[in-house]
Amino acid sequence: MFPSQSFINISFLQPQYFLMAGIEVIHGWISILVSSMYTVALTGNSPILLAVKRTHSLHHPMYYFLCMLALSDVGLTLSTMPSTLAVLWFDYHFIGFHTCLIQLFFLHSYSVVESSVLLAMSFDRFVAISNPLRYASVLTNNVIIRIGAVIAARATLSLFPVPFLLKRLNYCPGKVLLSHSFCFHADVMKLACADITVNILYGLYVVLSTVGVDSLLIVMSYALILQTVMGLASPRERVRALNTCVTHILAVLVFYIPVIGVSMIHRFGKHLPHIVHALVAYVYLVVPPVLNPIIYSVKSKPIRGAMFRVLRRKYQT
């Protein structure tokens, strides 16, 4: 049943609402699973932020970048959680046109932020391993603040044109069904009855200039790290140096594998069932924010200890 307002704005040929898709076949258990993962993502990343803030020994570049990663995970979670839970729990499938544009802007922006933070963390590991004596002088607090500002500006400027490029399009009356329970740029532009070449080219440019460039630079940084590690005389020192990179490598895999999966599904998986598209999208959105705090709390003893102290103090109060 459609809302009482006129569904199509005839003068602009833009829908007032889009209709978000659900997963009717396995709706019950997927609702519980996704809701639990959203909860874990929020409750897992928040203690990391509190732990670093309240623990003076963690006031180092590596942990500042970890805070940036946790913030991007929280932002990515909050950008899609309202619409997803509305579909899964309340069977409410409508999302306003402008609300949809705002949501996809933040969704893609936080994805770019997370990719940029992972690149910054690879630079942090490279400096720490290749030139440990200059580590503190290279990655000062001012440098980290500037890196954070550049990351935020890069994501904002890259994604700022996207809502306007979608808003300029004419849309087909009645063609309002999205493929997911959230707004995705590639999904929304396919609903337009207009030439979307500019949208396709700009979307490709954003992907290549952000996630594409970041992934390439991360691979290059690890090639240099391996070159440095192989130059170490002691096998014990090599293992110790590589062990400091394990958590970051896992975080990179957790982020980039779902990103590649979503991109491949959208471009080459049109014949696949809707449930496959939906599940891959949920993995892309929810799994990295869930696994990142688990990875860092398990593999990093200082983070684990600080998180336990924060949680114990909160429980006692």
Side-chain angles (χ1 to χ4, degrees):
M1 185 174 179
F2 292 106
S4 58
Q5 294 129 314
S6 173
F7 189 71
I8 301 296
N9 186 330
I10 300 299
S11 60
F12 295 102
L13 292 176
Q14 291 176 348
Q16 291 186 356
Y17 296 88
F18 286 122
L19 191 62
M20 298 178 292
I23 309 178
E24 288 76 12
V25 180
I26 49 175
H27 184 86
W29 71 264
I30 200 70
S31 302
I32 298 173
L33 179 61
V34 171
S35 301
S36 301
M37 294 181 77
Y38 273 129
T39 302
V40 172
L42 294 177
T43 57
N45 285 285
S46 299
I48 289 179
L49 298 172
L50 291 174
V52 174
K53 179 182 178 181
R54 297 180 180 179
T55 308
H56 185 72
S57 60
L58 298 182
H59 290 180
H60 295 290
M62 172 182 170
Y63 300 109
Y64 290 146
F65 288 128
L66 178 57
C67 285
M68 293 183 193
L69 186 66
L71 283 172
S72 66
D73 282 337
V74 170
L76 189 62
T77 300
L78 292 177
S79 64
T80 60
M81 186 173 69
S83 62
T84 300
L85 295 185
V87 170
L88 294 177
W89 284 106
F90 303 105
D91 202 29
Y92 187 82
H93 294 261
F94 297 101
I95 183 169
F97 178 75
H98 293 97
T99 304
C100 181
L101 298 184
I102 293 171
Q103 183 186 56
L104 68 85
F105 168 78
F106 281 105
L107 187 160
H108 293 298
S109 293
Y110 280 116
S111 294
V112 171
V113 167
E114 183 141 350
S115 176
S116 302
V117 171
L118 289 171
L119 173 59
M121 294 174 83
S122 70
F123 176 70
D124 168 82
R125 291 299 84 209
F126 170 70
V127 175
I129 291 173
S130 64
N131 205 337
L133 296 179
R134 294 192 58 200
Y135 179 71
S137 61
V138 172
L139 289 172
T140 62
N141 288 343
N142 285 335
V143 170
I144 294 170
I145 291 172
R146 289 174 185 172
I147 291 174
V150 168
I151 288 173
R154 180 198 193 198
T156 303
L157 293 176
S158 296
L159 274 303
F160 185 76
V162 170
F164 297 99
L165 290 175
L166 291 171
K167 188 175 172 58
R168 72 182 178 85
L169 297 175
N170 291 326
Y171 292 83
C172 303
K175 192 177 178 182
V176 293
L177 181 62
L178 299 172
S179 301
H180 307 294
S181 59
F182 57 88
C183 291
F184 196 70
H185 174 247
D187 201 17
V188 173
M189 71 179 181
K190 290 177 182 177
L191 301 180
C193 289
D195 184 5
I196 58 172
T197 303
V198 174
N199 297 71
I200 293 172
L201 292 177
Y202 188 76
L204 183 62
Y205 162 75
V206 171
V207 171
L208 293 178
S209 64
T210 55
V211 177
V213 170
D214 293 348
S215 59
L216 180 62
L217 291 177
I218 288 172
V219 171
M220 290 175 61
S221 68
Y222 271 100
L224 294 174
I225 288 172
L226 282 174
Q227 184 180 6
T228 302
V229 169
M230 291 300 106
L232 298 176
S234 169
R236 193 172 183 178
E237 290 179 352
R238 295 176 188 174
V239 173
R240 186 184 303 172
L242 289 175
N243 194 48
T244 63
C245 300
V246 171
T247 50
H248 178 252
I249 292 172
L250 291 175
V252 168
L253 294 176
V254 162
F255 175 75
Y256 280 102
I257 290 176
V259 166
I260 294 171
V262 168
S263 300
M264 296 296 288
I265 285 287
H266 266 277
R267 282 163 177 76
F268 307 110
K270 295 179 181 179
H271 62 285
L272 294 174
H274 166 68
I275 189 172
V276 175
H277 288 260
L279 290 177
V280 170
Y282 285 139
V283 169
Y284 159 67
L285 289 173
V286 183
V287 168
V290 168
L291 290 186
N292 282 335
I294 295 174
I295 291 169
Y296 278 92
S297 61
V298 170
K299 293 293 296 181
S300 176
K301 188 176 180 180
I303 284 290
R304 184 169 64 250
M307 287 176 67
F308 282 147
R309 286 193 295 272
V310 168
L311 294 173
R312 193 186 308 122
R313 195 179 310 165
K314 191 173 182 180
Y315 177 78
Q316 290 173 349
T317 55

